[in-house]
Amino acid sequence: MSSRDQILGRVRRALADVRDGEEKDAHDTAVPRDYLREHGDRTTEQTVDLLAENLADYRALVHRCAGEELPELLMRLLAARGARTVLVPPGLPPAWLAAADATRVHDRAASTPRELDEVHSVVTGCAVAVAETGTIVLDGGPDQGRRRITLVPDHHICVVRVPDQVVSSVPQALERLDPARPLTWISGPSATSDIELDRVEGVHGPRTLEVVLVSGV
Amino acid sequence: MPAFPTAAREAVGNKTLRANLRHATHTIRDKRARAVAELDDWDQLREAGKRIKDETLRHLDRHLIQLEESVTAAGGTVHWAADADEANRIVTALVKATGETEVVKVKSMATQEIGLNEALEAEGIHAYETDLAELIVQLGKDRPSHILVPAIHRNRGEIREIFAREMSEWGRPAPDGLTDTPAELAEAARLHLREKFLRAKVGVSGANFMVAETGTMVVVESEGNGRMCLTLPETLISVVGIEKIVPTWRDLEVFLQTLPRSSTAERMNPYTSMWTGPSQEDGPSTFHLVLLDNGRTDTLADEVGRQALRCIRCSACLNVCPVYERAGGHAYGSVYPGPIGAILSPQLRGTQSEIDASLPYASSLCGACYEVCPVAIDIPEVLVHLRERVVQGGEVTRHGTRVTLRPAKGHAAERAAMRAAGWAFGRPGALRAGQRLASGTRRFHPRTLPGPGRAWSATRDLPKVPAEPFRDWWRRTNGGRAEKGDKK
Ligand code: SF4
């Protein structure tokens, strides 16, 4: 007997107390969903403020600007870090980096992790941002690129279009996401509390996370 | 492995360990209460989490088959492992097939449970732990003592010592003049491990959740080592207990709210990775899922004990447990320490060994673990149930077959204690009255129990009886919410 059959057989015998006829949709009916879809009552503007607040609480650096100011702001943020090279996802709107001095590096399938490790910064968009938890979610869309480009460089700038890409809560975020895509949820920069529970930012992921909340694009 | 009372007595005598532990558990515990209080619907989320898991367990066969189908449809390969040996054989063969001799690992309880690192090592494959705490444990040739912060028993001085001494054995040495500041220690780990991430071809992980309907795997972490192991290698092998299934994508909305707040007391952990099958462009191009039984179906067969399989390994119960706080994780002799370990290990492994027979007694039955558990596992209920099994024997399932256990020897004192507990638990009113009485007279409590209880209490510091019974405190403060303001 294969282990598969053996395990499934054990499961069925173990569940002898469960009525055979129990409906197939038991899960849908038996789980109470009376928890909240979002916490609190906020205007759109307040939701964006909450996002900014919670991001900052987790030590992300938060900036806000209008669409036309974005190239200038990104240029300054990269310059402030001394970034000479910047990774660019294939579908990042070219205008965003129009003013930046850093040399563009395009992620190619052939580029090795070691090559990525040489790049200073990365600029991406996002799929959705969650205000209540201070989270940005990447789904590998054209303006976000492969998972590795936001992982290996030490400095990540993520542009969130507000208010369109902002939701209040985790349930609302899941509704918007496609499980078939590789998803990365990011709440603040990489951190550890493993040494006497002292929080240290930046172990393996980018040590600096900057989030730009841009309106009117 | 010594039984819990012996191991605990040694641990209790270790002052550094107790201080490290006390500091850590109290810090997390207070933070957790604040993070939980932020959500008005905590009780509803907890109930939903409990019911999702219960319903899943009640139809586990169906969900497992669905999961297999969706993972396969997404391009992954599913393997089934009835026990630890089989899981180790499968993983070893998969790694060998890649021609590689080293793997990078994301912290995973399941692979610890089966002793995967040792099994790989025996076949000439080096497994590198990449979670900072696991790295500390691995370099220190030590064992983890906490689910979430496995090196919680080590302070910064000890960690510096371990890094300076051991890192060069395994790869990039610690920088000269390494001090014991957490930032420098974390930087040393970053440099040491980066070299391994960038060349790794095979990653090994567990998963916090597997979604049956979509075939999605979810790993929740903080440091980014998980992202590294799940992204850069060409082959990814995930070893996951069969109880980690949630049926639908939507179910994640409950656990992604309750898990981070219960474990690290954060609104959300820094990184969560979700992937559905392999990917040609983004992440590993080969994905294997090893579904692990190893005692889980035996646990499922016990109608009272089954609820332990709801556990999402948040570790909140460890941080509130007065026994864990004093004894430390090693005393439990298992990868699952604390209250959850006391009910899970004797079920996964059976109660035959001395250590497993003693674990259901590693508790004061104060109930704090149940109150914090985000999936409402009634740990005291299962403890009492398992004590009964130890002292009276009875029908259980071992390796899939029904067997009758004989009563354990050498538990006469426990048997007496058991009868008293059984009586009180059958009568909630009496239990409450008893607790209040105990609170009122606590100044007069002896350090050891008189009469037949002495053998039992000689190996335990009797837990201090709280000034106010927990249930009363809970009712008075509405679960701590009313007191929120005056806690820092
Ligand atoms: S038993 Fe409950 S509190 Fe303890 S680790 Fe599991 S889920 Fe968390």
Side-chain angles (χ1 to χ4, degrees):
Chain A
M1 192 171 31
S2 73
S3 294
R4 178 184 188 275
D5 295 341
Q6 193 184 352
I7 294 172
L8 288 172
R10 284 180 183 180
V11 168
R12 290 185 186 120
R13 282 199 301 283
L15 295 171
D17 62 304
V18 176
R19 283 178 296 120
D20 263 351
E22 220 169 85
E23 333 77 79
K24 277 218 180 297
D25 60 349
H27 189 70
D28 300 332
T29 49
V31 177
R33 303 278 179 182
D34 56 351
Y35 49 86
L36 302 171
R37 301 307 296 168
E38 63 181 298
H39 299 85
D41 210 2
R42 286 178 297 266
T43 62
T44 310
E45 209 173 298
Q46 286 167 331
T47 303
V48 175
D49 289 345
L50 182 65
L51 173 68
E53 207 179 292
N54 284 337
L55 281 164
D57 197 31
Y58 280 179
R59 325 252 170 110
L61 307 172
V62 183
H63 313 274
R64 305 179 79 151
C65 74
E68 62 277 11
E69 299 160 343
L70 185 61
E72 155 93 23
L73 177 60
L74 290 177
M75 184 266 283
R76 277 196 290 113
L77 295 179
L78 288 168
R81 297 266 143 201
R84 288 188 304 280
T85 46
V86 58
L87 265 165
V88 187
L92 197 81
W96 289 9
L97 288 175
D101 304 316
T103 310
R104 275 62 153 174
V105 178
H106 297 276
D107 179 37
R108 294 167 299 115
S111 47
T112 64
R114 271 182 210 289
E115 285 163 2
L116 295 179
D117 196 31
E118 303 293 309
V119 185
H120 293 120
S121 301
V122 56
V123 176
T124 70
C126 77
V128 66
V130 191
E132 286 180 8
T133 57
T135 305
I136 51 176
V137 187
L138 309 181
D139 72 354
D143 61 347
Q144 299 149 56
R146 299 196 288 168
R147 286 187 273 174
R148 51 173 55 191
I149 68 171
T150 54
L151 171 62
V152 183
D154 208 18
H155 177 217
H156 178 196
I157 303 177
C158 179
V159 178
V160 182
R161 297 173 171 94
V162 303
D164 298 2
Q165 292 189 312
V166 184
V167 297
S168 275
S169 65
V170 170
Q172 292 171 345
L174 282 162
E175 270 167 18
R176 282 213 197 177
L177 293 166
D178 175 0
R181 310 185 73 109
L183 302 173
T184 306
W185 297 52
I186 300 173
S187 311
S190 157
T192 184
S193 301
D194 282 347
I195 302 165
E196 295 182 20
L197 297 178
D198 260 7
R199 190 175 163 102
V200 179
E201 262 86 47
V203 196
H204 306 298
R207 276 181 281 203
T208 310
L209 172 68
E210 303 201 62
V211 181
V212 178
L213 306 178
V214 59
S215 50
V217 284
Chain B
M1 194 67 72
F4 183 84
T6 318
R9 184 169 43 205
E10 278 162 22
V12 164
N14 180 338
K15 281 226 182 64
T16 316
L17 174 92
R18 284 184 67 168
N20 293 353
L21 265 178
R22 198 190 134 76
H23 167 70
T25 54
H26 280 253
T27 309
I28 315 185
R29 168 195 309 195
D30 295 348
K31 272 181 69 193
R32 179 204 156 272
R34 272 175 280 144
V36 164
E38 265 186 25
L39 299 186
D40 299 330
D41 58 342
W42 186 259
D43 295 341
Q44 287 90 324
L45 284 167
R46 185 177 185 239
E47 181 64 22
K50 170 186 176 206
R51 294 278 275 277
I52 289 170
K53 284 285 191 176
D54 271 351
E55 279 309 311
T56 312
L57 292 170
R58 287 174 75 78
H59 305 281
L60 191 59
D61 48 338
R62 214 166 66 217
H63 297 301
L64 280 165
I65 291 169
Q66 192 189 15
L67 176 77
E68 181 184 46
E69 281 167 8
S70 33
V71 170
T72 310
T77 310
V78 177
H79 310 259
W80 301 72
D83 56 25
D85 286 346
E86 187 172 15
N88 288 331
R89 275 200 307 276
I90 294 170
V91 178
T92 309
L94 290 171
V95 178
K96 283 192 165 172
T98 66
E100 294 296 315
T101 53
E102 55 181 46
V103 303
V104 285
K105 281 190 68 206
V106 194
K107 174 176 179 300
S108 129
M109 310 284 314
T111 58
Q112 268 173 38
E113 177 189 318
I114 61 175
L116 178 65
N117 292 6
E118 294 74 17
L120 288 173
E121 199 65 53
E123 296 289 323
I125 300 162
H126 302 285
Y128 297 114
E129 292 293 346
T130 63
D131 171 79
L132 177 52
E134 289 290 352
L135 176 73
I136 296 167
V137 168
Q138 187 175 46
L139 293 177
K141 302 182 179 65
D142 198 358
R143 284 178 297 128
S145 66
H146 190 279
I147 295 179
L148 183 76
V149 263
I152 201 170
H153 57 291
R154 297 286 198 186
N155 62 30
R156 59 185 74 191
E158 297 174 285
I159 296 169
R160 193 208 76 87
E161 186 57 22
I162 291 169
F163 279 11
R165 197 178 59 224
E166 301 290 338
M167 269 185 174
S168 58
E169 284 276 308
W170 295 75
R172 184 175 174 143
D176 289 334
L178 179 69
T179 74
D180 67 358
T181 60
E184 267 195 45
L185 294 170
E187 175 70 15
R190 177 186 175 95
L191 294 171
H192 179 81
L193 286 172
R194 185 154 284 230
E195 158 192 286
K196 299 199 165 70
F197 290 134
L198 297 184
R199 68 163 188 248
K201 295 280 186 285
V202 183
V204 173
S205 81
N208 293 87
F209 306 101
M210 318 187 269
V211 183
E213 131 189 284
T214 59
T216 308
M217 304 284 130
V218 183
V219 164
V220 167
E221 50 126 5
S222 293
E223 295 172 6
N225 64 305
R227 291 180 67 192
M228 289 278 183
C229 297
L230 301 170
T231 306
L232 298 182
E234 290 158 10
T235 301
L236 173 60
I237 304 167
S238 300
V239 182
V240 190
I242 52 173
E243 82 284 15
K244 292 282 175 105
I245 296 191
V246 297
T248 68
W249 175 249
R250 183 182 177 188
D251 294 326
L252 292 176
E253 70 189 19
V254 174
F255 301 109
L256 287 181
Q257 294 190 79
T258 52
L259 177 57
R261 288 181 202 258
S262 299
S263 64
T264 49
E266 292 170 303
R267 293 185 194 104
M268 186 61 90
N269 48 288
Y271 295 133
T272 298
S273 298
M274 301 181 183
W275 71 99
T276 305
S279 154
Q280 288 323 304
E281 292 92 45
D282 193 358
S285 51
T286 308
F287 172 58
H288 294 277
L289 172 62
V290 182
L291 292 171
L292 178 71
D293 179 348
N294 205 33
R296 284 158 178 78
T297 48
D298 292 343
T299 308
L300 189 67
D302 186 309
E303 286 172 42
V304 178
R306 173 183 296 172
Q307 57 184 307
L309 297 176
R310 292 206 294 259
C311 176
I312 56 173
R313 313 277 191 261
C314 72
S315 74
C317 58
L318 277 62
N319 299 326
V320 296
C321 177
V323 177
Y324 173 85
E325 182 189 321
R326 288 166 178 77
H330 292 154
Y332 294 80
S334 143
V335 297
Y336 303 104
I340 182 60
I343 63 168
L344 197 55
S345 306
Q347 295 201 85
L348 292 179
R349 305 191 296 208
T351 48
Q352 278 83 348
S353 77
E354 210 193 332
I355 175 85
D356 287 317
S358 71
L359 284 176
Y361 294 93
S363 166
S364 62
L365 296 180
C366 73
C369 49
Y370 167 63
E371 302 295 346
V372 296
C373 178
V375 284
I377 300 173
D378 195 337
I379 296 176
E381 182 191 21
V382 183
L383 284 166
V384 171
H385 171 70
L386 292 176
R387 288 181 186 187
E388 197 173 284
R389 175 182 297 176
V390 171
V391 297
Q392 288 171 8
E395 284 256 288
V396 291
T397 303
R398 289 308 300 153
H399 312 297
T401 16
R402 295 298 280 178
V403 292
T404 307
L405 283 185
R406 280 200 313 233
K409 293 192 196 85
H411 280 277
E414 271 89 347
R415 218 166 298 171
M418 182 54 228
R419 274 197 290 274
W423 181 83
F425 272 81
R427 296 164 184 77
L431 175 66
R432 266 198 305 279
Q435 283 177 340
R436 291 212 184 98
L437 190 68
S439 288
T441 61
R442 73 194 168 117
R443 275 190 302 127
F444 310 112
H445 282 199
R447 299 289 294 161
T448 51
L449 292 175
R454 184 173 295 129
W456 186 78
S457 60
T459 49
R460 293 158 175 80
D461 258 355
L462 280 185
K464 262 196 296 186
V465 177
E468 182 181 22
F470 189 77
R471 287 162 191 249
D472 290 5
W473 171 85
W474 186 265
R475 204 165 292 125
R476 178 172 64 78
T477 62
N478 185 21
R481 272 165 218 192
E483 276 185 350
K484 201 172 62 197
D486 52 54
K487 267 196 216 142
K488 220 207 93 180

